[in-house]
Amino acid sequence: MGDDKQEIAALEYVKTDEEFASEEGFDPDEERKLLWKLDKRLTPFLTLLYLLSFLDRVNIGSMDVHFSLTPGTFRNHAITTTQSKLNHGRNNNVAWHVKAMRHCRFRSLTRKFCRSGNAELAHLDSDLKLTNDEYNWALSIFFIGYVILEVPSNVFLKRFGPRLWIPIGMTVWGGIMIAMAAVQNSAGLLSARVRFRESRTMCASATIFFLGLAEAGLVPGIVYYLSLWYTRKEQAVRNAAFFSAATLAGAFGGVLAYGILQMAGTQGLTGWQWIFILEGLPTVVLAFVTYIYLPDLPETASFLTDDERDLLKRRLAQDAGMAKETHFSWKQFFDAFRDWKVYLHMAIFICMATPLYSLSLFLPSIIREMGYTALTAQLMSAPLYAVACFFSILLAFTSDHFRERGLHVAIPATVAMVGYILMIILKDSGSQALYGAATLTATGIFSKTPAMFSWFANNIGGHTKRGVAIAAIIAFGNIGGAIGGQIYRADDTQFGEISWIDRFMPYDNPYLIADLPSIARTVRGHTICAVILAFGIVFILLMKFLLIRENRRRDNLTPEQFAKEAEGEELADWHPSFRYIT
């Protein structure tokens, strides 16, 4: 009996995932038709869901408000006034002061004027009496709720099915967005992200903490859901398609917010209240459509014929190899937390997500501080997102074609790091050079993400283990969202500040603001993001090296070693026949 088991193990030894894929040939025309049918049914709809989610998540950045005078207006006024003073022979030392102030930072200017979005139009800060710290916490606290529920959400998705669980989350987060229009003060908005101080208004039901809880299941749910329909080499392009919604949200989200703000005063509501209502309402409506339209699993997909369902199941089984357990398993649940790859992917994800979220939240502010007005900054952020969207899809195609993930994450991350460094080096070189560096940064930041999502989804076997691992990785990585909301702060000090100017120059003198290169709080933020990306690149290369080494080790196993490692049940990707995509 023992000899029989050893012979069976020896036969299994040759069944790597590539060999599983070649055991049974499929008609290429049938496969293309099947993929096209899946793509038409799933990808556009999932992209729309993520678009609404991302718009809801970052629309607070379109409503960060400051005083009515914009940096560009203030600068033009200061230049005109200063020139007038010089022409009339008054205050002749102003020119020297202006030159010296290129090397210093102004707390009052930064705190009052360098804020992102269409702030001067929404008046959110004056309505809610927001302080700088309260605004930054409003950006960050969302992610606390977001992180808490991501793992449980994927477990619930596995238990109840995507068709039921995703619409529930959408209904809740859309309802919260609409209810947030009732927020009446800063305590209410911070209750909106999490209730950490007493509010004088009845707005606890509309907390963005709960918004984070409600939205927690969507991104890990979509990544996991796509892995149930597509083989590992097909997932990066589909992840890129749905993630492109983030870049689309960035491209026109600010312009959309500007258009909605024109409704200020209608029905007695402010512009920012209309933003919450009109960006939350479509989510609730689409939740009901999702319940009807979204298929649960391949086995029950009514939009496929019997032959198509059979073909789909056979393709997925061959791609999974021995890691094809589909039932819920508590063993796989706990195995996800015993796998070293999960923790290294967590480190990679948080290093990649922190700059991504900080850029998404503060890009209009970064562009404004190059010297543009608020509306111009919103409009000029659109081309950056469009370029990033193009390269995201392009790199996803090459990643799937070459079946490679690590370098498709590391190289864009390096490009983004170089972009941040250039924005620091070129801080005195004018707005065009800074805008070019920002384009480079945005391209690298966004284009790495589809391959990164696909990488950990590809290398975790077993439905339960994969679902839990995906949620755990994304949950930990989204702590970077909380960090990202704190990276660019109004009270940051510019590196290289000249302290004697700080001591002798009055900050409230309008004649000393002329031609100020509004970069006071961005240099430190750019530096933090560049350093985080550098650590992330090291982790990426380490992961790629370790996976290549493990694949080679499994290739060189003897039949006896293979049989020993193949013992046990529900091994998932720990089965020696499984090969990792590097």
Side-chain angles (χ1 to χ4, degrees):
M1 191 70 177
D3 293 337
D4 291 340
K5 286 184 177 180
Q6 198 155 355
E7 287 179 11
I8 293 172
L11 289 174
E12 288 181 341
Y13 167 69
V14 297
K15 295 182 181 180
T16 64
D17 58 339
E18 290 87 357
E19 289 165 327
F20 271 113
S22 63
E23 277 184 354
E24 182 179 351
F26 299 118
D27 187 327
D29 291 334
E30 291 183 359
E31 285 194 287
R32 278 194 294 269
K33 290 178 182 178
L34 174 62
L35 288 175
W36 177 238
K37 199 167 186 177
L38 294 178
D39 289 340
K40 287 193 299 181
R41 178 80 176 199
L42 303 179
T43 307
F45 193 75
L46 296 175
T47 300
L48 179 60
L49 298 187
Y50 189 55
L51 174 63
L52 293 177
S53 170
F54 205 84
L55 278 174
D56 291 348
R57 189 181 314 173
V58 302
N59 63 7
I60 187 85
S62 294
M63 295 179 290
D64 173 23
V65 230
H66 41 272
F67 295 91
S68 59
L69 196 60
T70 68
T73 305
F74 194 94
R75 186 179 300 106
N76 293 336
H77 169 75
I79 291 173
T80 303
T81 307
T82 303
Q83 187 63 49
S84 175
K85 296 292 185 181
L86 288 171
N87 289 342
H88 288 81
R90 299 167 56 188
N91 208 4
N92 287 331
N93 63 342
V94 168
W96 176 85
H97 288 319
V98 169
K99 182 178 180 180
M101 285 170 57
R102 287 182 178 275
H103 304 286
C104 71
R105 111 203 229 275
F106 291 86
R107 294 181 180 86
S108 60
L109 177 73
T110 304
R111 296 178 72 87
K112 291 181 181 180
F113 301 107
C114 295
R115 302 292 291 272
S116 65
N118 290 307
E120 73 278 14
L121 300 172
H123 302 297
L124 184 63
D125 67 336
S126 58
D127 290 345
L128 303 185
K129 300 178 176 62
L130 285 177
T131 67
N132 291 320
D133 285 340
E134 286 171 337
Y135 172 72
N136 281 92
W137 275 109
L139 294 179
S140 296
I141 288 175
F142 166 89
F143 293 96
I144 297 176
Y146 199 77
V147 167
I148 289 174
L149 202 63
E150 283 192 296
V151 173
S153 179
N154 259 20
V155 174
F156 293 146
L157 185 144
K158 175 67 178 173
R159 285 284 195 178
F160 301 116
R163 181 169 168 264
L164 177 61
W165 182 247
I166 291 178
I168 289 174
M170 292 176 64
T171 303
V172 174
W173 97 58
I176 291 174
M177 286 297 302
I178 296 171
M180 281 178 63
V183 171
Q184 298 179 20
N185 58 25
S186 60
L189 182 67
L190 290 170
S191 288
R193 295 256 163 172
V194 67
R195 189 186 180 102
F196 66 86
R197 77 173 186 177
E198 204 59 38
S199 173
R200 294 171 293 171
T201 60
M202 298 301 293
C203 53
S205 62
T207 70
I208 299 183
F209 172 75
F210 292 112
L211 180 65
L213 291 177
E215 288 194 37
L218 187 68
V219 175
I222 289 178
V223 175
Y224 173 62
Y225 184 70
L226 287 173
S227 74
L228 302 180
W229 294 84
Y230 294 97
T231 63
R232 292 189 290 166
K233 69 176 183 179
E234 297 163 350
Q235 291 173 24
V237 171
R238 278 76 190 181
N239 280 322
F242 98 80
F243 184 74
S244 66
T247 56
L248 291 173
F252 72 84
V255 178
L256 176 64
Y258 175 76
I260 295 175
L261 287 172
Q262 306 311 306
M263 297 178 63
T266 305
Q267 300 296 318
L269 299 177
T270 63
W272 61 265
Q273 287 175 310
W274 278 114
I275 288 178
F276 282 135
I277 293 171
L278 295 183
E279 291 189 2
L281 187 60
T283 303
V284 177
V285 173
L286 196 61
F288 293 97
V289 178
T290 302
Y291 179 75
I292 298 170
Y293 183 82
L294 192 69
D296 249 337
L297 297 170
E299 293 82 0
T300 59
S302 59
F303 72 98
L304 298 177
T305 66
D306 291 339
D307 290 339
E308 288 170 336
R309 279 196 297 270
D310 180 65
L311 173 61
L312 177 58
K313 288 188 289 185
R314 285 186 290 125
R315 293 178 78 250
L316 294 172
Q318 286 192 359
D319 182 64
M322 299 298 294
K324 55 187 177 184
E325 300 86 357
T326 60
H327 60 281
F328 181 83
S329 167
W330 283 110
K331 179 183 182 300
Q332 289 189 30
F333 178 93
F334 292 110
D335 281 349
F337 297 100
R338 290 193 284 260
D339 194 332
W340 63 269
K341 300 188 299 298
V342 172
Y343 295 99
L344 189 50
H345 274 301
M346 286 179 177
I348 293 171
F349 200 104
I350 194 171
C351 289
M352 299 296 106
T354 302
L356 186 150
Y357 279 119
S358 69
L359 191 69
S360 299
L361 293 170
F362 291 103
L363 183 58
S365 178
I366 292 170
I367 296 176
R368 281 196 61 170
E369 294 179 12
M370 298 175 188
Y372 299 100
T373 63
L375 179 57
T376 302
Q378 289 285 2
L379 295 175
M380 292 191 69
S381 65
L384 273 67
Y385 283 110
V387 173
C389 181
F390 170 78
F391 279 99
S392 295
I393 296 174
L394 176 64
L395 289 179
F397 271 106
T398 61
S399 179
D400 274 352
H401 178 75
F402 294 106
R403 210 180 188 194
E404 200 282 333
R405 302 289 186 249
L407 295 180
H408 281 79
V409 183
I411 292 175
T414 304
V415 170
M417 183 179 67
V418 171
Y420 278 118
I421 294 172
L422 287 175
M423 283 196 288
I424 297 169
I425 295 174
L426 301 175
K427 62 182 184 296
D428 297 320
S429 300
S431 58
Q432 291 182 347
L434 286 171
Y435 188 78
T439 303
L440 199 66
T441 303
T443 300
I445 285 292
F446 285 98
S447 62
K448 62 180 169 45
T449 307
M452 180 177 64
F453 278 144
S454 303
W455 202 10
F456 54 76
N458 291 165
N459 288 333
I460 306 295
H463 280 203
T464 303
K465 183 181 178 182
R466 187 188 311 139
V468 172
I470 288 172
I473 292 165
I474 296 178
F476 184 81
N478 276 321
I479 296 174
I483 299 171
Q486 304 294 325
I487 285 181
Y488 295 97
R489 300 184 61 84
D491 56 355
D492 278 348
T493 301
Q494 179 185 350
F495 291 168
E497 177 180 2
I498 301 177
S499 58
W500 64 268
I501 293 181
D502 251 352
R503 289 196 297 270
F504 293 106
M505 295 286 197
Y507 293 127
D508 56 353
N509 189 336
Y511 307 126
L512 303 182
I513 313 288
D515 201 28
L516 177 70
S518 304
I519 56 168
R521 67 171 178 159
T522 58
V523 171
R524 179 179 174 180
H526 296 338
T527 304
I528 292 172
C529 289
V531 171
I532 291 173
L533 284 169
F535 278 104
I537 293 166
V538 173
F539 293 143
I540 292 166
L541 297 178
L542 176 62
M543 172 66 85
K544 185 174 179 68
F545 167 76
L546 293 176
L547 292 180
I548 290 173
R549 188 178 68 173
E550 177 61 16
N551 282 344
R552 289 176 179 171
R553 188 193 70 81
R554 294 184 181 186
D555 288 339
N556 295 323
L557 289 175
T558 65
E560 293 78 14
Q561 291 171 327
F562 183 96
K564 183 176 181 180
E565 293 191 15
E567 293 175 354
E569 297 179 353
E570 299 183 11
L571 296 177
D573 55 280
W574 288 339
H575 195 281
S577 67
F578 190 92
R579 294 297 180 270
Y580 298 108
I581 293 180
T582 63

